[in-house]
Every structure is written in C-alpha cells, then in structure tokens.
Amino acid sequence: MMKTGKTCLLIMVIFVALGYCLSDHGLAQQTAPPAKAKEAQAKPQPDKVVAAPQNIRESSRIYVFVGWMWVSIAVLIYFLRLKIQEADRLYAARFFSPDRK
Amino acid sequence: MNIKKVSAGIQAWFEERLGLSAILDFMKEKEVPQNKHTIWSYTGSLILLFFGIQVVTGIMLAFFYKPTLELANKSIGRIMTEVPLGWIIRSVHFWSATFMIAIVFVHLLSIWIIKSYRRPRELTWMSGVFLLVLSLAFGFTGYLLPWDDLSLAATKVGTDIPRSIPWVGVLATKFLRGGDDISGDTLSRFFTFHVCILPLCILAVLCLHVYFIQKQGMSLPLGAEEKGEGRRALPFWPNFIWRETIVWLVFSGLLITVAVFLPPSLGKAADLMAPAPSGIKPEWYFLFLFQTLKIFPPKILFVNGDTIAVLVIFAGVLLFFLLPMIDDKPEERKGKIITLCAYLFMIYAVAMSIWSLLD
C-alpha cells in the first residue's frame, strides 16, 4: 500500500510538472503592448468574434494538453481504483472499528 | 532538525488554533448509505465543483472585463483574441455554468423522485430550491454581460416578463433595468448582481444547505429500510471521497474538452436603437419557461394572457418550493401521484424546450 502510494505520488508530480511546462503559465501575463491595443481599437468591429486558438502553436498546445489531460485522468483513475479497493477491504475487515482493538 | 518533529510541531500549532482533528473525526464517522440510488449522491458535490470553477474563471474574466456600454463587448472580444488563453477561460466559465445548472436540475429531480425531502429534511429541499433560483439568476445576469445583439434582446424580453405581475410588476421591471428601458445602468446593475450580490447570496444559502445535510445526514430512499438496504453504508472518508474524486476528474475532463472544442462566440456590440434580431432565444434552461409564456393567448376572459402565464409559473415555483409539505404522506397514493408529476414535469420541460428550438 505504501509503495503504491509513493508510486502514485511520483507519477502525479511528473504529470503536474509536465502540465505546468506545457501550460505556458496560463493567464499570468497580458502580452498585448499598448500600441497593438490602439491599432485593434481603430479596426472596424467584425460581426462575430469566433473563439479559437490564435495560431498553430497555440492550437497544437491545446490539443496536446487535452490528450495529456485524458491520459493523466486515466492514470489517476487507475490508482484511485486501487485506493478504493484497499479502503473497502480495510472497512470490510473492520480495521478501523473501535471494537476491533 | 528532524523533519518528522518539525511537521508534528506545525500540525500541533494548527490543531491548537483551528481544531481541525474534530472535522477529520466527523468525516471519518460520517457514512454514506449504499443502495441503488447512491449514484445521485455524487451530483451534489459536482455542483460544488462547477461552482468553484466558475468562481475561479469568473475572477480571471473580471480582471479584463469592463462593464460599460462602450467597452463591455470590446473587452470580451479582447479576452477572446488578445489575452493568452482568454477564449478558453471564457469557454470554461460558460460551460461550467451550463454543466452546473444541468446538474442542479438532475440533483433536484432525483431528490423529488427518491423523496429525500421527507421529514425532517424539508429545509434542505427548500434551501436547494433557493440555490436553483440563484443559479438561474446567475445565468440570466451573466447572459447580458457580453453586450451583443442577442444578449440585449433576450434581456429585454426577460426583464419585461415581471411587468405582467399585478401591482408590483412595473416596479420589478424598473428595478431590474435601472430605469424604464435597458441602458448602461442595466449593464452595471447586472454586473453588480453577477459578481457581488448573487455570489454572497449563494454562499450564504450554500452554507445553510451543507449544514442541513450534515445535521440530518443523507437520507435513505423510500422503502429502503423494509428492503434491508438501510444498514449498508460506506465511510465518507476515505471510501466515498476516493469515488467522488473519480467523478470529479471525469467531469473536469469533459468540461475542458467541451470548452476547447465548442467555445462560445461573441456577436457584434449591441445597439440600443436597433430593432430586435429575429429568432431570439434564451439560454437552454429558460427555453421551457419561454415557450410556456408563448403558448398563452393574449387575452383570457378579459385578463391579460401574459399575467396569467406569469402567475401560473410563479404558482408552479411555489408548489415546487413547498413540495415536502404537500407530499406529507409519501408512501400513500398521493405520494405516488407526486412522483408521477416529477416524470411529467421532465417530459413537459424537454418537449417545450424542443418546441421552442424548432419554433
């Protein structure tokens, strides 16, 4: 159980670190310089703004992130299922029950 | 210095001040009944998850959003096109609201069908209905904030509905709009409701709701005692929490996937003088109410049809709120009819929503 826990923790740390590297720090910085903002204001407004990745780099990052996320979820579910089985076994054996002591 | 000693010292410091072990002991002692309806127990915590996601993404959006007539639409456009990953944050905010309201409906309907609102859990149900109304109010106020043609027209229609209520209707519409018509005041009013008043209200009611659940414990489905399902239970910590984590992970994954592949777009800035665009539709969760209002004729026996429609809807909400009092004998024939009403309501809501979409 301890070994599984440590392995689980290690894999989680690896996935979190990988995710952080891929994430490009999310919304941490506002990159548009003032000149660019002025230019954008001068442009005529389009009828509809479609939400989408701004360039090929961002779109590949997003799709890689979604794939990585589902792999992480699958790995985490695998370990959580082991945890559940262990917790259920201990509960069935009345391991934490006060009358067992 | 020994790490174990330091960690024990820190733990003791917090324990002395916060008494967290009492909470942990409570969680260890708390049990979740195990029966064929246990699956519905996960919907409550899922609502909390989506609410949390909305708070976080909402704060991120508020850093960039400007609630003025000139800048509201432009600032959303900027979030979507200039702010790094802004479009995805907006999309997650939009979809988490949709997921949350859908699960609130599922949660309440499951409680209605299982009859978990039975004595002594009437207040838990009532606070839950309040939470549904507050969630819908969040959706309604948030819909105007992008300030595009569609959101303006839908808000015009939405804020016009209370006008039909006798005596207080005109005042209610004026209060919602901040004047006789939709203006910049309406936008700032809706923004204040969306980010200040409603979050405070929902937090207060949520605390009460969670307190009632902890106080009364989770209910057993009707007839579970006789079937011998009453004794089967799982400890909340860690057995139920691990299971709940799996559900959270799957739904978080679904939310992000939907947010990436189906992000909401933004229409051009609303013009207060422009005529309303054709085919105005509210958000999906208001569609059945919208269609209900539409099917009423303009006049019914010298009374305005809209007035009757609004009063019928209000009466329906009141009956829904008082359901535990009405369904006071759940095992008897009356109780079975009330359960049947839950299924009929579901069919009605789905049918009216589809009709409204096709209309």
Side-chain angles (χ1 to χ4, degrees), chain B residues 1 13 40 45 56 103 149 174 203 207 213 217 249 255 259 287:
Chain B
M1 204 187 279
W13 191 90
W40 305 115
S45 71
V56 174
I103 295 168
D149 281 341
K174 264 193 177 179
L203 269 178
C207 288
I213 296 166
L249 280 172
L255 172 70
L287 279 177

Side-chain angles (χ1 to χ4, degrees), chain A residues 32-41, chain B residues 82:
Chain A
K36 205 176 167 187
K38 267 186 192 170
E39 202 177 273
Q41 272 183 353
Chain B
E82 290 176 32

Side-chain angles (χ1 to χ4, degrees), chain B residues 91 141 252:
Chain B
S91 185
T141 51
S252 306

